[in-house]
Amino acid sequence: MLAYFQKDSLAGTIQYGNKLIFCATPAPVPPPQNPEEFNYKRFLSFHRIYQQVYLKNSDYRLLDVSPRNNLLGFASRTRNYLMEIFEKYKITGDEYSVASALMLGSREEIDSELVQAYASAGALHVLSVSGLHVGVIFMVMTYLLIFLDKMKYGNIIKTILLLFGLWFYALLTGLSPSVVRAATMFSFVVIGKAGKRNTNIYNILACSAFFLLLINPFLIMEVGFQLSFLAVIGIVFIHPRLSRTWDAHIPAAGRIGNWVIAQVRTITSISIAAQIVTFPLGLLYFHQFPNYFLFSNLIVIPLSTLIIYCGVLLFVVSPFEIISGYVAFVFKGCITLLNDSVLFVEQLPFSLLHGISISVVET
């Protein structure tokens, strides 16, 4: 059941794991009322939610304040503690909401107009913790634990620590389908490397999907699950072919040493590869297409990667205020630049093609 609470001081104290008793009559979630409207009732049913209720402050009482699931409760408290670090360094407003979403998967604070701006610019994916975030965490941990490679049982210890770090981050960010997919994939890679086995990306994708659907079959109906797996398949299959086409038509002398052009080429080909396989679902679910996705991704992907690195560094050095103040300044500046860039792209003429309606068969 989905419960809506009257906004007041009591509702503001409710935390994950609290037990409540209420006196109100739940009602079934209503079906769509307009043609082509998003079927929220079906969406909730895939999460095994079938009824809803609105509670005034006089309709309920808080019975218990101790988290029922200690692991998820600990993750929730840790997430709140890390969000307080943002507040400590005067990261507020849109910068705070984007930082919370980008780093910790908390999107409750984001203004709807800003979300629409990211969607119009084709950059909404950066507000969802996904493979990019998990990949950065994985690379940082791999670099920090490289000293274990020279120890007797270092390979086993490194594998355990990497798996723990990946899944703790997934837990910390709310276990969204995209993050769980990425954590599962990297887990298979880590275990494969520990066993000195060659890995095949298609096998890893298939095993990850099978493993996750074995635990929760409803995941296959999650938009994030579908888009996440399709995007990776598209990147793995199409990106190398685009790169080879690029190499065949650009003289080698023009590429050597030109790092910027290489990065632009990589981001562009990855963006095209992911868009080719995901845009049908985008039209089906969201009825729109961002026309400037190539341009926006050239700005958004490098900036969001830098923000993730700065965010991780801010969490690590937060006890040392002399250093953390400078890191927070750079972190906030990058988020401001990211928001301004997205708003600029959204305001360009014909930035969004909308009003598209297609069926599942057409998809």
Side-chain angles (χ1 to χ4, degrees), residues 118-313:
Y118 272 83
S120 300
L124 191 58
H125 57 90
V126 303
L127 296 183
S128 302
V129 177
S130 60
L132 172 66
H133 307 70
V134 178
V136 170
I137 298 297
F138 178 74
M139 287 189 294
V140 169
M141 289 188 63
T142 302
Y143 178 76
L144 293 176
L145 298 175
I146 196 170
F147 68 94
L148 291 173
D149 293 338
K150 299 179 181 179
M151 296 175 59
K152 186 176 181 181
Y153 298 104
N155 191 33
I156 297 174
I157 298 171
K158 183 178 180 179
T159 300
I160 294 171
L161 291 176
L162 283 173
L163 291 174
F164 174 80
L166 286 172
W167 284 103
F168 177 75
Y169 182 70
L171 184 68
L172 184 66
T173 53
L175 295 173
S176 68
S178 55
V179 126
V180 169
R181 186 271 307 161
T184 305
M185 280 187 60
F186 279 111
S187 297
F188 277 111
V189 171
V190 169
I191 294 170
K193 284 186 176 180
K196 294 181 171 58
R197 300 292 298 270
N198 293 325
T199 56
N200 180 288
I201 187 64
Y202 297 106
N203 287 344
I204 289 174
L205 279 168
C207 289
S208 302
F210 179 78
F211 176 76
L212 294 173
L213 294 174
L214 199 63
I215 297 171
N216 180 10
F218 282 102
L219 273 178
I220 202 167
M221 301 309 298
E222 287 271 5
V223 178
F225 184 90
Q226 296 170 9
L227 291 174
S228 181
F229 272 93
L230 275 178
V232 175
I233 291 171
I235 291 170
V236 169
F237 182 76
I238 299 174
H239 167 56
R241 288 161 174 78
L242 289 177
S243 295
R244 285 197 293 270
T245 302
W246 180 291
D247 290 339
H249 292 84
I250 302 296
R255 295 193 308 270
I256 295 174
N258 199 329
W259 183 84
V260 174
I261 290 179
Q263 297 306 309
V264 169
R265 184 193 72 172
T266 300
I267 293 173
T268 301
S269 59
I270 287 176
S271 299
I272 293 173
Q275 195 66 254
I276 285 173
V277 294
T278 59
F279 89 89
L281 283 183
L283 301 184
L284 176 68
Y285 291 126
F286 309 116
H287 314 296
Q288 61 185 29
F289 184 82
N291 291 323
Y292 300 133
F293 72 92
L294 275 180
F295 174 62
S296 62
N297 279 333
L298 286 174
I299 304 171
V300 165
I301 292 178
L303 266 179
S304 59
T305 304
L306 180 60
I307 288 168
I308 295 170
Y309 278 114
C310 286
V312 171
L313 183 60

